[in-house]
Amino acid sequence: MLQRAIIMLMLSMIAHHGISQRVALVLSGGGSKGLVHVGVLQALEEYDIPIDYIVGSSMGAIVGGLYASGYSPDSIASMLTSDKFTRWASGVMEDRYTYYFKQKDPDASWVSIKFNYDDVTKKLSGRLPTNLVIPPYEMDFNLLELFAGASAAAGYNFNDLFIPFRCVASDIDFNRSVVLSEGQLGSAIRASMTFPFYYLPIELDGKLLFDGGMYNNFPSDVAMADFYPDVIIGSKAAGNYDSPGEDDLLSQLQNMLMTQTDYSLDSATGILLEHEMGSRAIFDFSHLDDVIDAGYQKTIDNITGIYDLIGRRVPSESLQLKRSSFRAKIPPLLIDSIHIEGLTRNQSGYVRKLFKHKEKQVGIETVKMQYFKLIADDMISSIFPELKYNTYTGYYDLHLKVKKSENFVGALGGNISSSTSNGAYVGLAYRYLGHQAMSLRTNLYLGRFYSSYLLSGRIDFPSRTPFFMELAYVFNSKNYFRNTTYFFDDKTPSFLISKESYGSFSAGVPATYRGKFVFGVNFGEKRDDYYQDNVFSREDTADITRFEMITPKLLFELNSLNRKQYASAGVRFLTELQYVYGKETHTPGSTSLQGNEIEKYHSWFRLKILYDNYFNSIGPVTLGFYGELMLSNQAFFSNYTSSILASPAFEPILESKTLFLPKYRAYNYGAVGIKFVIEVYRKIDLRVEGYLFQPYQEILSDENMQPVYGEEFSYRSAIASSSVVWRSPLGPLSVSLNYYDRSNDNLSLFFNFGYIIFNKSISD
């Protein structure tokens, strides 16, 4: 009888230890190092170790939340090692979501400051420049896609997920950790991973929340308080920071933001997997397969200790059945209605029109495309999306928390160069959002070589096929006489001042996400002052050629280039058909061979086709191809110089945009180029470019300074450039060695910091 009692007691103890045993997995934060947790999950499933609860912080919240939503460890590994994850973690938006139609013409700005009128009266309240924060928009929508269905299937209670789950975030108002156990799973995880100064914080239940690792990077206490597990398996991807150095500002900031965390576990009821990840930066998302493998191997190395602590096993077949059963409860992501928070009624109407659709319900991909259209709109400062399942309709409601952008945007920039093309740039824009989006924009360029003024107004209409209308006035002046260079002497001609003053009207519609169709008309005057003879004195007067013109045009453009100057990825394709009609008035100067004023009417068609493509990189090397074709039936003006000045220019490299180069101008020409971009070190590139310019007929001068054509295809010119470019936070800094086919010195050394980007010309 006693023997039977002892046996029953032993069986009871085994049952309590092996059958009723409940296991919690606690995953620390650690940025990119936190992907070791994926390897831990792979190993635990492979060895049938049960996971009854999951608690995570920061990256541990992402990995744990995915597993709690019913994703397998292998599918989680595929997601988090993909280019898609790397892109949204670093804030780089996928090309197909770049909405080119809403982008404004590039300018020479280095920095921009957004503000409202109230900010001016308050002397501009302190704010961080936006370039210090990673754009979270693709990440936010991907989190919505990944977790909205699981949230709905669990009834927005984290206890009812595939695995009961908790994550922690930080409430900096009250200096405390916040445990998230219900609501939108994607939003909770987004809050838990919001590293300060890296991602924009989000608001949940009226609280502005940040990274959970700030106050609790290893929430084993949350696991005990919420789930009462018998055993805790802890995965530690990062530890406490070292004491701050006296001169190390970064270490001081890290220690101020992150409190010390206790990573210890009671060895009787817990086992801690400590992963040694070396000096890997927390935002280094390269070679993630190695990180996952390290987590897997660490778990295998400790599997005996885990077996000793946990007697219960969960066969893979039953686990897969449970996972499939939970995933089957997820309603398909079909959206029935849209709710907008944070805007006025008229502003909400503008946003709603962008999402307007004929179908009663739409899929997530359709909504996603409209979402990125809204992000591209400079009237919008930020958006946070959530999907809430409506049990009454059986579909999801899309909730958009939208923040309108500030009304004013100021910009500063310019160019610092080894030539005299130095200049300053100042810009100011006012934006108003109502039923339509309206903007007023002005800018000013000031420099010895180039000066310009622009004033424009644009209205965007958010119809199913959105369109815009724009009116602008532009004044441009280029003084080639002042733009001499110390490295070579180009004396043909030595005095040229070109000015233009014109108004324009344009209207456009999008053509796919990357393109647009534009109809426009420019009307105004171009004036050129020049000497036809390079021997002149102060008493001499220059020739003056005025051309009053009107130029209707049709333009189709696709553009996905990744930078406004020194691009290294993407494609640009442009086709522009232009008709020019106008009157030329030539007033001869004291050195002219023509004695009387001449008036002539001109009209011509011009077709321009441009193709600029950077192919996929092979390691650090990117190959680019450039092609340009210009076709026209344009006739000569009254003399050689005015004819050359009225002809299109081929200007493929930076320095060439600041020089008057007659050998690279023609009415009809073709040009091709090859570019190699080599990433030497992070933001430092080596660029090698070569171009061939082939005019149909070169424009030459006879002995009377009258224009004549050369033989067909009898002459061609080359341009080559080798540059080292550092993409600084303000703008590119470059040193270039350039080659031109010239009668004098062929080589020039060109230093430049900033952007050589001009307002559009009347002939553009």
Side-chain angles (χ1 to χ4, degrees), residues 152 156 336-337 339 388-397:
Y156 300 98
D336 182 61
S337 62
H339 304 271
K388 296 180 181 178
Y389 185 68
N390 189 323
T391 55
Y392 178 76
T393 63
Y395 300 104
Y396 292 86
D397 297 336

Side-chain angles (χ1 to χ4, degrees), residues 21-25 49-53 229-231 233 310 312:
Q21 199 176 38
R22 309 299 287 173
V23 180
L25 178 63
I49 304 298
I51 302 172
D52 299 300
Y53 315 104
D230 300 297
V231 178
I233 301 174
I310 303 170
R312 178 171 148 243

Side-chain angles (χ1 to χ4, degrees), residues 250-379:
L250 180 59
S251 69
Q252 295 169 16
L253 183 62
Q254 288 171 334
N255 276 272
M256 283 189 286
L257 292 174
M258 315 293 282
T259 59
Q260 297 290 307
T261 297
D262 181 8
Y263 291 94
S264 63
L265 291 174
D266 185 346
S267 60
T269 58
I271 185 168
L272 181 64
L273 305 174
E274 296 192 69
H275 308 280
E276 300 298 330
M277 302 307 298
S279 59
R280 169 182 282 268
I282 60 174
F283 297 115
D284 178 7
F285 290 97
S286 62
H287 308 293
L288 294 179
D289 288 325
D290 296 339
V291 179
I292 293 173
D293 289 343
Y296 176 85
Q297 190 59 50
K298 187 69 170 182
T299 310
I300 298 301
D301 293 342
N302 287 271
I303 201 66
T304 301
I306 295 172
Y307 270 176
D308 290 342
L309 199 61
I310 303 170
R312 178 171 148 243
R313 302 290 176 265
V314 177
S316 59
E317 294 80 7
S318 62
L319 185 65
Q320 294 303 328
L321 184 62
K322 179 184 175 184
R323 178 176 285 130
S324 299
S325 176
F326 176 79
R327 298 295 296 177
K329 294 191 298 181
I330 294 177
L333 297 182
L334 290 174
I335 291 88
D336 182 61
S337 62
I338 298 171
H339 304 271
I340 299 164
E341 303 171 32
L343 300 178
T344 67
R345 181 177 179 181
N346 288 344
Q347 293 165 351
S348 297
Y350 175 86
V351 172
R352 192 169 282 108
K353 286 179 183 178
L354 292 176
F355 283 85
K356 187 178 179 181
H357 50 83
K358 293 180 179 178
E359 303 82 2
K360 290 185 177 180
Q361 293 85 34
V362 294
I364 192 68
E365 191 61 31
T366 300
V367 169
K368 190 173 187 177
M369 301 297 278
Q370 303 305 321
Y371 167 82
F372 283 105
K373 280 185 182 180
L374 189 58
I375 287 171
D377 198 314
D378 60 5
M379 298 289 173

Side-chain angles (χ1 to χ4, degrees), residues 543-544 585-589 592-599 638-639:
D543 284 47
I544 299 174
T585 302
H586 173 245
T587 303
S592 175
L593 298 180
Q594 297 166 298
N596 300 318
E597 184 173 280
I598 298 174
E599 289 188 357
S638 59
N639 59 66

Side-chain angles (χ1 to χ4, degrees), residues 28 212-220 236 238-241 258-264:
S28 78
M214 293 176 65
Y215 300 136
N216 193 349
N217 203 36
F218 187 67
S220 58
K236 174 190 172 186
N240 294 312
Y241 291 109
M258 315 293 282
T259 59
Q260 297 290 307
T261 297
D262 181 8
Y263 291 94
S264 63

Side-chain angles (χ1 to χ4, degrees), residues 178-198:
V178 177
V179 180
L180 301 172
S181 61
E182 61 183 7
Q184 291 284 344
L185 180 58
S187 300
I189 290 170
R190 169 68 165 82
S192 183
M193 59 166 287
T194 302
F195 194 84
F197 308 124
Y198 198 78

Side-chain angles (χ1 to χ4, degrees), residues 21-240:
Q21 199 176 38
R22 309 299 287 173
V23 180
L25 178 63
V26 178
L27 307 177
S28 78
S32 64
K33 299 177 182 180
L35 267 74
V36 295
H37 305 322
V38 181
V40 172
L41 289 170
Q42 289 175 327
L44 293 178
E45 275 209 3
E46 184 177 324
Y47 283 83
D48 297 336
I49 304 298
I51 302 172
D52 299 300
Y53 315 104
I54 293 184
V55 182
S57 179
S58 195
M59 183 58 77
I62 298 177
V63 176
L66 287 168
Y67 190 77
S69 298
Y71 295 98
S72 70
D74 288 343
S75 63
I76 296 172
S78 297
M79 285 182 218
L80 300 186
T81 57
S82 67
D83 292 339
K84 184 177 183 179
F85 172 76
T86 303
R87 192 173 54 249
W88 60 256
S90 58
V92 178
M93 200 174 296
E94 191 175 354
D95 282 348
R96 68 192 181 109
Y97 298 129
T98 302
Y99 195 45
Y100 180 65
F101 173 72
K102 296 294 292 186
Q103 294 181 13
K104 304 300 188 291
D105 293 332
D107 55 44
S109 60
W110 297 350
V111 293
S112 61
I113 303 172
K114 300 177 182 179
F115 59 94
N116 289 316
Y117 176 77
D118 290 344
D119 296 329
V120 178
T121 60
K122 297 173 184 176
K123 297 183 180 180
L124 289 176
S125 57
R127 65 186 69 207
L128 279 175
T130 55
N131 60 342
L132 295 181
V133 180
I134 295 299
Y137 305 117
E138 187 166 355
M139 174 180 67
D140 288 345
F141 205 94
N142 276 282
L143 291 175
L144 176 146
E145 283 188 276
L146 288 171
F147 296 113
S151 297
Y156 300 98
N157 186 335
F158 297 176
N159 287 332
D160 295 328
L161 292 165
F162 167 62
I163 303 292
F165 174 73
R166 296 289 186 274
C167 65
V168 295
S170 298
D171 180 354
I172 62 172
D173 270 352
F174 293 94
N175 296 323
R176 67 184 182 186
S177 181
V178 177
V179 180
L180 301 172
S181 61
E182 61 183 7
Q184 291 284 344
L185 180 58
S187 300
I189 290 170
R190 169 68 165 82
S192 183
M193 59 166 287
T194 302
F195 194 84
F197 308 124
Y198 198 78
Y199 296 122
L200 289 170
I202 68 168
E203 187 178 289
L204 291 182
D205 298 327
K207 301 173 184 176
L208 201 62
L209 300 182
F210 287 85
D211 194 288
M214 293 176 65
Y215 300 136
N216 193 349
N217 203 36
F218 187 67
S220 58
D221 58 330
V222 175
M224 290 300 300
D226 280 33
F227 298 127
Y228 308 103
D230 300 297
V231 178
I232 290 179
I233 301 174
S235 180
K236 174 190 172 186
N240 294 312

